mmCIF file of all heavy atoms in Angstrom:
data_model
loop_
_atom_site.group_PDB
_atom_site.id
_atom_site.type_symbol
_atom_site.label_atom_id
_atom_site.label_comp_id
_atom_site.label_asym_id
_atom_site.label_seq_id
_atom_site.Cartn_x
_atom_site.Cartn_y
_atom_site.Cartn_z
ATOM 1 N N THR A 180 0.537 -4.019 -4.557
ATOM 2 C CA THR A 180 0.145 -3.717 -3.182
ATOM 3 C C THR A 180 0.990 -2.586 -2.604
ATOM 4 O O THR A 180 0.596 -1.966 -1.626
ATOM 5 C CB THR A 180 0.297 -4.949 -2.283
ATOM 6 O OG1 THR A 180 1.669 -5.368 -2.319
ATOM 7 C CG2 THR A 180 -0.587 -6.074 -2.756
ATOM 8 N N TYR A 181 2.160 -2.350 -3.185
ATOM 9 C CA TYR A 181 2.952 -1.198 -2.746
ATOM 10 C C TYR A 181 2.337 0.050 -3.361
ATOM 11 O O TYR A 181 1.541 -0.020 -4.278
ATOM 12 C CB TYR A 181 4.404 -1.370 -3.177
ATOM 13 C CG TYR A 181 5.160 -2.344 -2.303
ATOM 14 C CD1 TYR A 181 4.865 -3.689 -2.331
ATOM 15 C CD2 TYR A 181 6.148 -1.903 -1.429
ATOM 16 C CE1 TYR A 181 5.535 -4.586 -1.524
ATOM 17 C CE2 TYR A 181 6.828 -2.782 -0.620
ATOM 18 C CZ TYR A 181 6.525 -4.124 -0.666
ATOM 19 O OH TYR A 181 7.191 -4.992 0.139
ATOM 20 N N GLY A 182 2.733 1.193 -2.881
ATOM 21 C CA GLY A 182 2.155 2.399 -3.435
ATOM 22 C C GLY A 182 0.925 2.810 -2.649
ATOM 23 O O GLY A 182 0.518 2.144 -1.703
ATOM 24 N N PRO A 183 0.308 3.919 -3.057
ATOM 25 C CA PRO A 183 -0.806 4.483 -2.298
ATOM 26 C C PRO A 183 -1.940 3.485 -2.102
ATOM 27 O O PRO A 183 -2.239 2.686 -2.991
ATOM 28 C CB PRO A 183 -1.269 5.643 -3.172
ATOM 29 C CG PRO A 183 -0.098 5.992 -3.986
ATOM 30 C CD PRO A 183 0.672 4.737 -4.203
ATOM 31 N N ALA A 184 -2.570 3.539 -0.946
ATOM 32 C CA ALA A 184 -3.620 2.582 -0.608
ATOM 33 C C ALA A 184 -4.838 2.730 -1.504
ATOM 34 O O ALA A 184 -5.562 1.769 -1.729
ATOM 35 C CB ALA A 184 -4.030 2.752 0.854
ATOM 36 N N VAL A 185 -5.063 3.933 -2.025
ATOM 37 C CA VAL A 185 -6.285 4.151 -2.809
ATOM 38 C C VAL A 185 -6.224 3.477 -4.168
ATOM 39 O O VAL A 185 -7.243 3.295 -4.821
ATOM 40 C CB VAL A 185 -6.568 5.649 -3.015
ATOM 41 C CG1 VAL A 185 -7.009 6.266 -1.704
ATOM 42 C CG2 VAL A 185 -5.369 6.351 -3.591
ATOM 43 N N PHE A 186 -5.011 3.060 -4.604
ATOM 44 C CA PHE A 186 -4.914 2.385 -5.894
ATOM 45 C C PHE A 186 -5.505 0.996 -5.771
ATOM 46 O O PHE A 186 -5.097 0.203 -4.931
ATOM 47 C CB PHE A 186 -3.447 2.272 -6.326
ATOM 48 C CG PHE A 186 -2.888 3.570 -6.862
ATOM 49 C CD1 PHE A 186 -3.554 4.762 -6.648
ATOM 50 C CD2 PHE A 186 -1.706 3.576 -7.579
ATOM 51 C CE1 PHE A 186 -3.040 5.948 -7.138
ATOM 52 C CE2 PHE A 186 -1.191 4.758 -8.060
ATOM 53 C CZ PHE A 186 -1.852 5.940 -7.842
ATOM 54 N N GLY A 187 -6.464 0.703 -6.608
ATOM 55 C CA GLY A 187 -7.100 -0.603 -6.528
ATOM 56 C C GLY A 187 -8.306 -0.606 -5.616
ATOM 57 O O GLY A 187 -8.990 -1.601 -5.488
ATOM 58 N N GLU A 188 -8.538 0.509 -4.938
ATOM 59 C CA GLU A 188 -9.750 0.594 -4.119
ATOM 60 C C GLU A 188 -10.627 1.717 -4.653
ATOM 61 O O GLU A 188 -10.150 2.650 -5.299
ATOM 62 C CB GLU A 188 -9.380 0.900 -2.669
ATOM 63 C CG GLU A 188 -8.971 -0.326 -1.886
ATOM 64 C CD GLU A 188 -8.481 0.046 -0.514
ATOM 65 O OE1 GLU A 188 -8.938 1.091 -0.004
ATOM 66 O OE2 GLU A 188 -7.643 -0.675 0.022
ATOM 67 N N ASN A 189 -11.910 1.626 -4.366
ATOM 68 C CA ASN A 189 -12.813 2.632 -4.894
ATOM 69 C C ASN A 189 -12.833 3.869 -3.998
ATOM 70 O O ASN A 189 -12.918 3.776 -2.779
ATOM 71 C CB ASN A 189 -14.219 2.064 -5.018
ATOM 72 C CG ASN A 189 -14.330 1.141 -6.217
ATOM 73 O OD1 ASN A 189 -13.519 1.238 -7.140
ATOM 74 N ND2 ASN A 189 -15.290 0.250 -6.187
ATOM 75 N N VAL A 190 -12.718 4.997 -4.648
ATOM 76 C CA VAL A 190 -12.834 6.269 -3.949
ATOM 77 C C VAL A 190 -14.197 6.847 -4.325
ATOM 78 O O VAL A 190 -14.599 6.739 -5.481
ATOM 79 C CB VAL A 190 -11.726 7.239 -4.404
ATOM 80 C CG1 VAL A 190 -11.782 8.524 -3.596
ATOM 81 C CG2 VAL A 190 -10.376 6.576 -4.285
ATOM 82 N N THR A 191 -14.893 7.413 -3.377
ATOM 83 C CA THR A 191 -16.195 7.985 -3.694
ATOM 84 C C THR A 191 -16.030 9.464 -4.042
ATOM 85 O O THR A 191 -15.580 10.266 -3.225
ATOM 86 C CB THR A 191 -17.157 7.841 -2.510
ATOM 87 O OG1 THR A 191 -16.995 6.532 -1.974
ATOM 88 C CG2 THR A 191 -18.587 8.035 -2.965
ATOM 89 N N VAL A 192 -16.312 9.765 -5.302
ATOM 90 C CA VAL A 192 -16.254 11.151 -5.753
ATOM 91 C C VAL A 192 -17.648 11.532 -6.226
ATOM 92 O O VAL A 192 -18.139 10.965 -7.198
ATOM 93 C CB VAL A 192 -15.252 11.319 -6.911
ATOM 94 C CG1 VAL A 192 -15.154 12.785 -7.301
ATOM 95 C CG2 VAL A 192 -13.900 10.770 -6.526
ATOM 96 N N ALA A 193 -18.282 12.458 -5.532
ATOM 97 C CA ALA A 193 -19.624 12.938 -5.895
ATOM 98 C C ALA A 193 -20.595 11.777 -6.118
ATOM 99 O O ALA A 193 -21.330 11.723 -7.101
ATOM 100 C CB ALA A 193 -19.558 13.831 -7.148
ATOM 101 N N GLY A 194 -20.536 10.802 -5.240
ATOM 102 C CA GLY A 194 -21.481 9.698 -5.321
ATOM 103 C C GLY A 194 -21.083 8.596 -6.271
ATOM 104 O O GLY A 194 -21.773 7.590 -6.376
#
Side-chain angles (χ1 to χ4, degrees):
Chain A
T180 59
Y181 283 69
V185 289
F186 283 15
E188 278 174 28
N189 284 339
V190 184
T191 317
V192 183

